[in-house]
Amino acid sequence: MKRVVSGIRPTGFLHLGNYFGALRNFIKMQEENECFFFIADYHSLTTHPTPTDLQSNVRNILIEYIAAGLDPEKATIYVQSDVPQVCELSLLLSMNVYIGELQRVASFKEKVRRQPDNVNAGLLTYPVLMAADILLHHADMVPVGKDQEQHLEMTRDFAQRFNHIYKHEYFKLPVAYNFGSELVKIPGLDGSTKMSKSDNENSCIYLSDTPEVIRKKVMKAVSDSGPTEPGQPKTQAVENLFQLMKAVSTPETVHYFEDQYQNCAIRYGDMKKQLAADMTAFVQPVYERILELRDKDDYIRKVAREGAERARESAAKTIKEVREIIGIKSF
Ligand code: ADP
Ligand code: TRP
């Protein structure tokens, strides 16, 4: 049985990008693997949420995990900060990580550009904590979207370096994983290539959006003035609409609009109406379960408590072994 580990930062509600890049894979992978899925609340502190926001966001993601189909009977679901052993592993790994390699990470450079007034050390060491999350449970596979590929490469580097320095084949070298195909990147409704809440709220369709909100957002999505000759390449914005349609609609529907595009007969208004309807059909059952779970506080707490216990057990074993390998022995 393979080990699977992944997490999502609690920075708001989950959108379709999070779903298709990560959560959908979590749900499929829980069937045949030993899975650890957590909410990366330590990681979200790099952007300084308020205590109230942090708590409610953690709860929301926990609810969304379960509403979308994660089963606490099959997978270990926990909150990262309930397993503080990850901080010790992160510290121990950081002794063999070089500042230069952290400064070259694309996500770090991006954050420096975005929040020049808050270039904190947590942002720099973000990939080390992420490696610790993964190595703590000896993951073979890590379901994530394409944007996390570099972090996974670094995790393998850190694991390999540890094994080399201590002359011990201890850590496995985990790989980024998407069920059945390459890693995915779901585009935004605003013409951008990645649906992301950090860029533009309106580019995202959330699992907790109502049908009316979905309709409004999709009808406002960026398109263009339409093709003027057969076979004309699509603009990024129109390509995005097709990509989104491929994610939520049937192949026949995609095929129909593809034909319309190729024949220059496409009406983006019709395509968007169809897209909004298919997104709604997709999101609606999850949304209904989200509403139900919001009232089940005892159940939510129980899931988090039991998940934390199982994750701490796995973590304690790793930390004990790592300490021994490094030479940390208590008297
Ligand atoms: P955001 O970019 O909205 O802040 P996160 O960085 O919290 O989202 O992403 C959580 C998980 O969802 C990661 O595994 C990430 O790769 C995946 N993910 C986020 N956006 C997308 C997207 N547009 N397409 C595919 N996967 C995505
Ligand atoms: N960096 C991931 C993101 O932004 C979240 C994350 C933290 C994660 N630790 C992880 C993902 C470990 C997979 C495994 O989405």
Side-chain angles (χ1 to χ4, degrees):
M1 200 185 271
K2 299 278 190 202
R3 284 268 181 130
V4 178
V5 176
S6 192
I8 298 182
R9 288 174 303 136
T11 51
F13 293 104
L14 294 183
H15 52 70
L16 290 179
N18 300 134
Y19 181 83
F20 286 104
L23 193 47
R24 178 178 59 163
N25 293 294
F26 298 5
I27 296 161
K28 289 187 175 171
M29 293 170 100
Q30 70 182 345
E31 300 301 330
E32 290 181 357
N33 303 284
E34 189 171 1
C35 296
F36 293 84
F37 298 125
F38 63 94
I39 296 160
D41 58 343
Y42 283 144
H43 275 107
S44 69
L45 294 173
T46 53
T47 47
H48 297 181
T50 66
T52 320
D53 280 351
L54 183 62
Q55 244 198 351
S56 62
N57 283 343
V58 169
R59 188 170 186 274
N60 285 337
I61 306 279
L62 198 51
I63 287 174
E64 289 180 323
Y65 271 3
I66 302 166
L70 272 197
D71 181 350
E73 303 288 321
K74 294 179 180 159
T76 297
I77 303 171
Y78 68 99
V79 180
Q80 186 185 32
S81 60
D82 278 337
V83 187
Q85 286 95 337
V86 75
C87 299
E88 180 168 351
L89 185 57
S90 180
L91 177 95
L92 296 174
L93 291 173
S94 75
M95 302 302 165
N96 300 314
V97 171
Y98 305 104
I99 291 181
E101 65 186 330
L102 293 176
Q103 284 167 331
R104 284 193 296 274
V105 176
S107 60
F108 175 70
K109 289 200 272 191
E110 165 83 16
K111 277 283 193 275
V112 172
R113 242 184 335 112
R114 254 177 220 269
Q115 50 181 68
D117 299 333
N118 183 18
V119 184
N120 57 74
L123 281 176
L124 186 68
T125 56
Y126 187 107
V128 189
L129 181 58
M130 178 158 166
D133 289 323
I134 297 168
L135 300 176
L136 193 62
H137 305 298
H138 301 280
D140 298 284
M141 293 179 287
V142 184
V144 280
K146 193 153 178 55
D147 59 319
Q148 299 296 313
E149 215 167 17
Q150 192 182 20
H151 290 153
L152 260 294
E153 264 169 46
M154 301 187 76
T155 301
R156 286 192 292 278
D157 286 348
F158 301 158
Q160 208 155 21
R161 208 172 287 166
F162 180 97
N163 292 351
H164 180 74
I165 289 172
Y166 296 106
K167 299 188 176 47
H168 197 309
E169 282 306 306
Y170 182 68
F171 286 124
K172 293 190 223 173
L173 307 184
V175 291
Y177 187 81
N178 183 58
F179 213 86
S181 67
E182 292 181 355
L183 301 188
V184 299
K185 185 156 87 168
I186 298 291
L189 289 169
D190 58 349
S192 65
T193 57
K194 187 187 161 205
M195 183 178 284
S196 171
K197 56 190 167 279
S198 341
D199 292 336
N200 174 1
E201 286 272 325
N202 283 326
S203 84
C204 298
I205 296 291
Y206 293 98
L207 296 179
S208 50
D209 275 345
T210 61
E212 187 49 22
V213 168
I214 294 178
R215 204 184 58 78
K216 279 199 182 133
K217 284 187 191 171
V218 176
M219 295 317 284
K220 273 197 292 193
V222 181
S223 58
D224 59 24
S225 50
T228 49
E229 52 188 78
Q232 189 174 321
K234 298 187 183 100
T235 55
Q236 184 66 53
V238 170
E239 178 59 31
N240 288 359
L241 293 180
F242 275 95
Q243 289 292 332
L244 288 164
M245 197 167 233
K246 276 188 196 141
V248 294
S249 306
T250 63
E252 292 72 36
T253 304
V254 179
H255 202 83
Y256 171 79
F257 286 102
E258 186 67 51
D259 273 354
Q260 296 284 92
Y261 181 89
Q262 295 305 337
N263 301 332
C264 304
I266 192 152
R267 291 163 55 151
Y268 292 129
D270 292 347
M271 182 181 184
K272 287 178 181 178
K273 264 188 214 145
Q274 182 69 47
L275 183 59
D278 291 342
M279 281 178 166
T280 300
F282 180 82
V283 164
Q284 188 87 24
V286 181
Y287 178 58
E288 279 164 17
R289 283 195 294 275
I290 289 175
L291 292 183
E292 278 169 33
L293 285 162
R294 279 186 186 157
D295 294 329
K296 298 196 171 155
D297 205 40
D298 287 349
Y299 174 68
I300 299 298
R301 281 171 192 277
K302 180 168 168 280
V303 169
R305 205 174 45 240
E306 292 179 359
E309 272 166 28
R310 277 189 268 162
R312 276 196 295 260
E313 213 174 288
S314 157
K317 180 169 180 293
T318 305
I319 290 296
K320 182 171 177 288
E321 291 167 354
V322 167
R323 281 174 158 239
E324 271 167 28
I325 292 169
I326 289 183
I328 299 175
K329 303 232 160 76
S330 44
F331 290 93

